[in-house]
Amino acid sequence: MTPEYQPVLYGLRAKILRPSFLQRQDPSRVISGNPEISEVFIVGDNVPKAMPVREGLPLVLLKLTLPWYPAARPADPCPPGRHGYMAGGAYIVHSSCSEEWGDLFGHSLPIPLHDYTERRSTSR
């Protein structure tokens, strides 16, 4: 019997920057609404494979909202009964991979984290 193979996922670690109103639990913000989560891993195509993803940290993907304006969103699908991810006031910024961050984005500024969801309204 051969041991089960588990691939190692690599990505870029980032800190979550929250405004003061996001310092408490908020279920409508999938990642930033949990004050116990302080870091995420950016994964996906074109992302530098700087370090192995640490188990238990959320994964985010990059998407371009405009051709030159990247944003991060959770890698998991939007929860059922909720609208898609949108800006909610949180950002991510490099934590220990500043050189890789600069190579990926061309700057060291924070990137918006689009992890806010809203309930779908019921039709009347």
Side-chain angles (χ1 to χ4, degrees):
M1 193 174 229
T2 58
E4 190 175 317
Y5 173 73
Q6 293 211 336
V8 177
L9 185 60
Y10 285 83
L12 192 62
R13 192 171 69 180
K15 291 183 202 176
I16 300 173
L17 302 177
R18 295 176 173 90
S20 60
F21 66 88
L22 289 181
Q23 299 302 320
R24 61 184 185 273
Q25 190 77 25
D26 182 354
S28 63
R29 290 168 170 81
V30 176
I31 295 173
S32 64
N34 183 348
E36 295 178 11
I37 298 173
S38 62
E39 290 183 318
V40 297
F41 267 92
I42 305 170
V43 296
D45 298 338
N46 303 324
V47 174
K49 310 301 184 224
M51 57 183 44
V53 171
R54 200 168 22 170
E55 193 172 323
L57 288 182
L59 304 179
V60 297
L61 301 171
L62 293 177
K63 75 171 198 172
L64 292 177
T65 54
L66 294 171
W68 40 267
Y69 192 75
R73 67 169 185 81
D76 295 330
C78 190
R82 311 288 287 189
H83 286 287
Y85 295 119
M86 56 193 103
Y91 291 82
I92 59 172
V93 69
H94 62 83
S95 57
S96 63
C97 308
S98 60
E99 188 173 315
E100 288 87 353
W101 185 277
D103 292 343
L104 180 60
F105 297 112
H107 58 73
S108 60
L109 300 172
I111 302 298
L113 175 60
H114 290 191
D115 70 335
Y116 178 71
T117 63
E118 291 181 339
R119 286 196 174 117
R120 292 186 186 275
S121 60
T122 57
S123 56
R124 294 179 183 192

